[in-house]
Amino acid sequence: MSNAIRANRILDAAVTLIAHYGYDKTTVSDIAREASVSKGAIYLHWQSKEQLFNALLVREVQQLLDDTMSRVEDDLQGGTIDRMYYHGLLALAAHPLMRALYTSDSRILGDYVRHQGPGRYTQRFLFGQIFVQRMQTARLIRDDLDATMTSYLFSIISYGLMQIETFITSEQAPALEEVASALADLVRHGFATENRDSEAGKQALRYLINEVKQTYISQRERKQDADD
Amino acid sequence: MSNAIRANRILDAAVTLIAHYGYDKTTVSDIAREASVSKGAIYLHWQSKEQLFNALLVREVQQLLDDTMSRVEDDLQGGTIDRMYYHGLLALAAHPLMRALYTSDSRILGDYVRHQGPGRYTQRFLFGQIFVQRMQTARLIRDDLDATMTSYLFSIISYGLMQIETFITSEQAPALEEVASALADLVRHGFATENRDSEAGKQALRYLINEVKQTYISQRERKQDADD
């Protein structure tokens, strides 16, 4: 087994366990057992559970962004704000660790999230504003609305959707795809323009995703260096 | 001091303390001190902290409903779905205990909320659906949308708004009134019809509020009897 394959198998095991039992209750031994490797093999890759988790977050963020982008690319109308919102919500829902990170689910993230204040959302919020502005420039989002407010409303809806299942039982709730579709309609009615130039929207999203990847990954690498 | 005046003063003290320190950390002695009455005086009204809290919830729910209704009555366009949503959000934000109940804030509600599952939202959700249907019958909400889904989306937006301040610092967030106003615009674009017959909407809201009051208060009274 190559190093890269083994590393990925370990991270697969870690995401399964952490999404199910939470960060605090998952040990390096648990991960080794789930991945069918020795504990020593894990320490060949990372010096600690924290470092492993750091690598896991980098991988999961990349996967979420790539998953969102490929859903958008595969959809002819994918570059419109309502279809992007639809695909983004479904991609987020499919990544339990990212979803936990998005909603600060301390049951899953444990100590990792408890030591951070609301300020950690600053960057995500700024990226959202810049993206709305670019979509306004491309005339794909109404430009009579304030970009900060528009981005804030998008966040409210996304948080609400990710959290609502803790309030309303799944038997009562409509299926996620239908909800995402109804929210996309709402976004279209509220924010979209008549312009449906999907390719311009896709280009804006590619640009955003590259920026987020570069910023996030270089931050994580700096953190990793600092931890070494 | 009459009994009723004293009871209200005690409940005022309780809501202040519980909203600040939470249910678990607030004792009957704390409430007595804050209300400037003896502990014995409190036990003249309620046999336990639980019973006092029960009475407090009844009063707060009534106040929230009355506050929402009076904001709607005072607004010429108050019976439209977007203005109702606006007034409802501002009323909710002004009642910290109701807001905690709405978002299951276990920091404030403590043991009270931890012992209840998501099923407790069933009733609220059903009231929402019935209300949407009545507003559709009055042609104030688009009737090409499913009432259950529409009510679900309203819940998503409300939860998202009440929770977002735990993620985004208040310096970054726009003022609540502006956010409520932008959300009302979104609701208008997404759900309202051309019909702006405010009086019919006000009538539907009066009807709903009476039903909620009767149901909620009779449940609480039954709970009180069962506790006795």
Side-chain angles (χ1 to χ4, degrees):
Chain A
M1 185 157 56
S2 81
N3 270 347
I5 289 176
R6 187 170 56 198
N8 259 318
R9 191 207 273 197
I10 294 167
L11 295 179
D12 287 343
V15 76
T16 305
L17 293 175
I18 293 171
H20 193 82
Y21 300 104
Y23 177 74
D24 294 349
K25 285 188 186 154
T26 300
T27 65
V28 172
S29 302
D30 296 334
I31 297 169
R33 197 177 323 113
E34 176 81 15
S36 305
V37 302
S38 69
K39 217 171 138 181
I42 293 185
Y43 287 113
L44 287 178
H45 294 278
W46 304 282
Q47 289 170 19
S48 63
K49 185 172 97 169
E50 289 68 34
Q51 288 203 359
L52 187 158
F53 191 61
N54 197 37
L56 182 59
L57 287 177
V58 170
R59 193 187 74 160
E60 291 285 301
V61 167
Q62 284 182 309
Q63 283 184 354
L64 174 63
L65 295 172
D66 291 343
D67 186 13
T68 304
M69 193 71 235
S70 86
R71 286 172 193 249
V72 167
E73 296 282 12
D74 289 348
D75 178 349
L76 268 180
Q77 286 290 302
T80 57
I81 185 61
D82 40 292
R83 295 303 294 167
M84 269 185 213
Y85 206 82
Y86 174 79
H87 293 301
L89 287 177
L90 288 187
L92 188 58
H95 288 81
L97 202 63
M98 289 298 97
R99 188 172 174 162
L101 203 65
Y102 198 80
T103 57
S104 283
D105 185 339
S106 59
R107 193 186 55 77
I108 291 185
L109 298 172
D111 286 340
Y112 175 79
V113 80
R114 268 190 282 272
H115 296 142
Q116 301 185 49
R120 71 188 177 287
Y121 287 85
T122 307
Q123 204 167 46
R124 185 193 299 165
F125 193 46
L126 288 178
F127 274 125
Q129 287 175 44
I130 292 168
F131 181 66
V132 168
Q133 282 163 357
R134 288 211 191 105
M135 289 290 281
Q136 288 178 323
T137 306
R139 292 176 300 108
L140 286 159
I141 290 184
R142 284 169 51 195
D143 62 3
D144 59 322
L145 300 171
D146 179 67
T148 304
M149 182 64 88
T150 299
S151 169
Y152 196 71
L153 299 192
F154 286 160
S155 298
I156 286 174
I157 298 171
S158 312
Y159 287 131
L161 175 62
M162 295 300 143
Q163 300 253 337
I164 199 168
E165 66 177 29
T166 57
F167 302 109
I168 291 177
T169 56
S170 51
E171 303 86 69
Q172 287 187 285
L176 179 67
E177 273 200 38
E178 286 169 38
V179 178
S181 177
L183 284 174
D185 280 348
L186 179 62
V187 164
R188 181 167 181 172
H189 276 105
F191 303 107
T193 63
E194 292 300 306
N195 177 25
R196 305 291 283 172
D197 178 1
S198 177
E199 185 45 38
K202 288 182 183 180
Q203 191 53 43
L205 187 63
R206 285 180 209 120
Y207 206 85
L208 172 76
I209 284 182
N210 271 331
E211 283 174 320
V212 172
K213 275 189 183 178
Q214 279 170 20
T215 307
Y216 186 76
I217 291 162
S218 69
Q219 276 173 351
R220 286 281 136 189
E221 280 166 356
R222 277 203 302 282
K223 184 178 179 326
Q224 191 81 54
D225 290 345
D227 287 350
D228 284 348
Chain B
M1 184 158 55
S2 81
N3 269 347
I5 289 175
R6 187 171 53 195
N8 260 318
R9 191 209 272 199
I10 295 168
L11 295 180
D12 288 342
V15 76
T16 305
L17 294 174
I18 292 171
H20 194 81
Y21 300 104
Y23 177 74
D24 294 348
K25 285 188 186 153
T26 300
T27 65
V28 172
S29 302
D30 295 335
I31 297 169
R33 199 177 320 117
E34 176 79 17
S36 305
V37 301
S38 69
K39 218 172 137 178
I42 293 186
Y43 287 112
L44 287 178
H45 294 277
W46 304 281
Q47 289 169 21
S48 63
K49 186 171 95 169
E50 289 67 34
Q51 289 203 358
L52 186 157
F53 191 60
N54 198 33
L56 181 58
L57 286 178
V58 170
R59 193 186 75 161
E60 291 285 302
V61 167
Q62 284 182 310
Q63 283 185 354
L64 174 63
L65 295 172
D66 291 343
D67 185 11
T68 304
M69 193 71 235
S70 87
R71 287 173 194 248
V72 166
E73 297 282 12
D74 289 348
D75 178 350
L76 267 181
Q77 286 291 303
T80 57
I81 185 61
D82 42 290
R83 296 301 296 165
M84 270 184 211
Y85 206 82
Y86 174 80
H87 292 301
L89 287 177
L90 289 186
L92 187 58
H95 288 81
L97 202 60
M98 289 297 97
R99 188 174 173 160
L101 204 63
Y102 197 80
T103 55
S104 282
D105 186 340
S106 58
R107 194 186 56 77
I108 292 185
L109 299 172
D111 286 338
Y112 174 79
V113 80
R114 267 190 283 273
H115 296 143
Q116 301 186 49
R120 70 188 178 287
Y121 287 84
T122 306
Q123 202 166 50
R124 184 193 301 164
F125 193 46
L126 287 178
F127 274 126
Q129 287 174 43
I130 292 168
F131 181 66
V132 169
Q133 282 162 357
R134 288 210 191 103
M135 290 289 281
Q136 287 177 325
T137 305
R139 291 178 300 109
L140 286 160
I141 289 184
R142 285 169 50 194
D143 61 5
D144 59 322
L145 300 171
D146 179 68
T148 303
M149 181 65 86
T150 299
S151 169
Y152 196 70
L153 298 191
F154 286 161
S155 297
I156 286 174
I157 298 171
S158 313
Y159 287 131
L161 176 62
M162 295 301 143
Q163 299 255 335
I164 199 168
E165 65 178 28
T166 57
F167 302 107
I168 292 176
T169 56
S170 53
E171 304 88 65
Q172 287 185 285
L176 179 68
E177 272 201 40
E178 287 169 38
V179 178
S181 177
L183 283 175
D185 280 347
L186 179 62
V187 164
R188 180 166 183 175
H189 276 105
F191 303 106
T193 62
E194 292 301 305
N195 178 25
R196 305 292 284 171
D197 179 2
S198 177
E199 185 46 36
K202 287 180 182 179
Q203 191 52 43
L205 187 64
R206 284 179 210 119
Y207 206 85
L208 172 76
I209 283 181
N210 271 331
E211 282 174 320
V212 173
K213 273 188 184 177
Q214 280 170 20
T215 307
Y216 186 78
I217 290 161
S218 69
Q219 275 173 351
R220 287 281 136 191
E221 280 167 356
R222 276 203 305 279
K223 184 179 180 324
Q224 191 82 54
D225 291 343
D227 288 350
D228 282 351

